[in-house]
Amino acid sequence: MHCWVDGQDATAINLQNRGLAYGDGLFETIAVRGGRASLLDGHLARLALGCKRLAIDADLALVGDEIQRFACQLGDGVAKLILTRGDSQRGYAPAAGVAPRRILQGAPLPSYPAEHAEHGVRLFPCQTRLGEQPLLAGLKHLNRLEQVLARAEWQDGEHAEGLMRDGQGRVVEGVYSNLFMVSAGVLVTADLSRCGVAGVMRGALLEHAPGMGMPTQVRDIAFEELQQADEVFVCNSVYGVWPVRAVGALNWSPGPLTRKLQAVARTLLDT
Amino acid sequence: MHCWVDGQDATAINLQNRGLAYGDGLFETIAVRGGRASLLDGHLARLALGCKRLAIDADLALVGDEIQRFACQLGDGVAKLILTRGDSQRGYAPAAGVAPRRILQGAPLPSYPAEHAEHGVRLFPCQTRLGEQPLLAGLKHLNRLEQVLARAEWQDGEHAEGLMRDGQGRVVEGVYSNLFMVSAGVLVTADLSRCGVAGVMRGALLEHAPGMGMPTQVRDIAFEELQQADEVFVCNSVYGVWPVRAVGALNWSPGPLTRKLQAVARTLLDT
């Protein structure tokens, strides 16, 4: 698949890049269908928030244009954007006038089994807990060792995703998804102000749900509440929505609100 | 300065490298004088611990040999080793058989003002707090956004380093140093089992101090204790030991134990 660095074909990046040195940057994973980048506004909005919090002075209009041109060439696939602070000498303080670097990488659309969406998935209960860092919480930054460690906890094909909790055992998210539960008709997802990644699909579902008669709550979720939930699902901006049918010994069936939001996600992703 | 990737001259690294994608790797910053890598055993020991915790299957004997050959060519300078899990397709789970990649980058020895070592430095009291993640604490891994944010808090030349605290306000370390205080004749440094980087110079000083009649303690340090300390200093494996003369409104003078350990550090670094 093709890759660009700053809009030009490339296969490599300078060794001085701060993305490599310190994970000093952000990324977005964008579904592309028929040459169109799905949920692009949401991806760019999260990127803008990340740039603001990390004080990365990027031209986001240029980034948006570049993603669209890249998607055009990709056709169908996944476009991964990595935006780093740029190249700099050794040391945490970047050189004056450092220029952000844009990396775009194309990959095929993943071929998940259809039963993930139809009958739901089983989540591996990860032991790796998410640390709390309010300054970075919600961002899709390049410091992702917690996810690497969590994903390494299971190798079997039985688990399509893992459940990640915080240090207090609260339910936060999946390794590469956000998690929702339905409790007494209310759509609940974790508050991500201390840890977690605020997914673009999560944001879109929270936006659409109230208009469909589903009240939403963004708050802490105790593990015990998950046990009592009527429906549980995970979502991201590549696969959409997967019902969760099990976490360890807990079981659920795909429910009606999950199905409604699954349809919304399909529309948003043009599938 | 010259750079190697896997032992060969290089200026760039594959875009698929997981160091770039996720900060999935480790690094060491090694002082080199007269073609010799200082404190190499300590650097390799920390690297081994990091590889074990991150399950990176690297040939550390090869890494050690390569650092020595690189140091020979460098003469005098700083050799930075980045060891990543390797190149892999998109996704937190690495490809089967992924091979770790070794990156070596040379840089000149930094030219710090002599007064840093003679009269001491002023630490900027950083607002950025270190998050707690026991699985990564102590390691010099590539997820360093907290340090990037902390270092960006001051731009003036008055502060040679910053003081980093944890979420509870306890004193942990500098942005690129470890911190010690002397309290009633005891050398105290922070317990790094929840956050922080266990520096190689910190380890060497903890090892040498008892034989010089200085008892040591590795434990939590409340900020109030720092106020009461008789001596405070920071250390790392490039500059050695710098007395701390101020943190915000707090002041100290370089003390006798600091001077003794500064001499130890000089010997260890061959300066």
Side-chain angles (χ1 to χ4, degrees), chain B residues 51-255:
Chain B
C51 284
K52 190 175 170 193
R53 285 223 234 146
L54 299 184
I56 292 177
D57 186 21
D59 180 343
L60 292 177
L62 174 67
V63 171
D65 285 351
E66 209 163 89
I67 293 170
Q68 284 180 313
R69 286 194 293 122
F70 189 83
C72 248
Q73 289 198 15
L74 187 60
D76 291 286
V78 173
K80 177 171 173 174
L81 169 78
I82 298 179
L83 181 70
T84 79
R85 195 181 305 276
D87 302 350
S88 193
Q89 79 299 346
R90 197 180 67 80
Y92 292 121
V98 62
R101 266 196 207 286
R102 311 172 303 276
I103 300 164
L104 275 161
Q105 298 171 282
L109 280 166
S111 56
Y112 297 115
E115 65 174 44
H116 285 7
E118 283 167 28
H119 303 113
V121 296
R122 184 178 286 277
L123 307 189
F124 185 87
C126 297
Q127 292 302 310
T128 302
R129 300 299 172 99
L130 292 163
E132 299 191 2
Q133 176 48 272
L135 299 176
L136 299 175
L139 305 185
K140 202 166 173 90
H141 55 68
L142 296 174
N143 281 198
R144 299 266 74 109
L145 277 171
E146 289 177 337
Q147 282 71 28
V148 171
L149 291 177
R151 183 58 190 85
E153 289 189 43
W154 80 94
Q155 308 298 330
D156 62 74
E158 289 300 293
H159 297 90
E161 239 293 23
L163 175 70
M164 297 201 74
R165 302 163 69 180
D166 68 13
Q168 276 68 53
R170 290 175 290 229
V171 170
V172 182
E173 60 187 7
V175 176
Y176 60 98
S177 311
N178 288 114
L179 181 140
F180 282 84
M181 68 176 189
V182 177
S183 185
V186 178
L187 190 64
V188 186
T189 192
D191 170 35
L192 303 180
S193 59
R194 293 181 308 265
C195 58
V197 178
V200 168
M201 184 57 81
R202 170 184 179 271
L205 297 182
L206 284 173
E207 199 181 309
H208 280 75
M212 299 167 69
M214 300 178 212
T216 63
Q217 285 181 359
V218 177
R219 60 168 174 82
D220 289 343
I221 301 177
F223 188 70
E224 295 67 34
E225 289 186 90
L226 194 65
Q227 297 176 305
Q228 307 297 326
D230 301 313
E231 305 177 30
V232 179
F233 67 87
V234 287
C235 67
N236 79 17
S237 56
V238 172
Y239 66 71
V241 167
W242 288 339
V244 172
R245 58 182 171 86
V247 178
L250 305 178
N251 290 277
W252 301 271
S253 295

Side-chain angles (χ1 to χ4, degrees), chain A residues 13 15 129 133 143 145-146, chain B residues 13 129 133 143 145-146:
Chain A
I13 187 138
L15 285 178
R129 300 300 172 96
Q133 178 47 273
N143 282 198
L145 276 172
E146 289 178 337
Chain B
I13 189 143
R129 300 299 172 99
Q133 176 48 272
N143 281 198
L145 277 171
E146 289 177 337

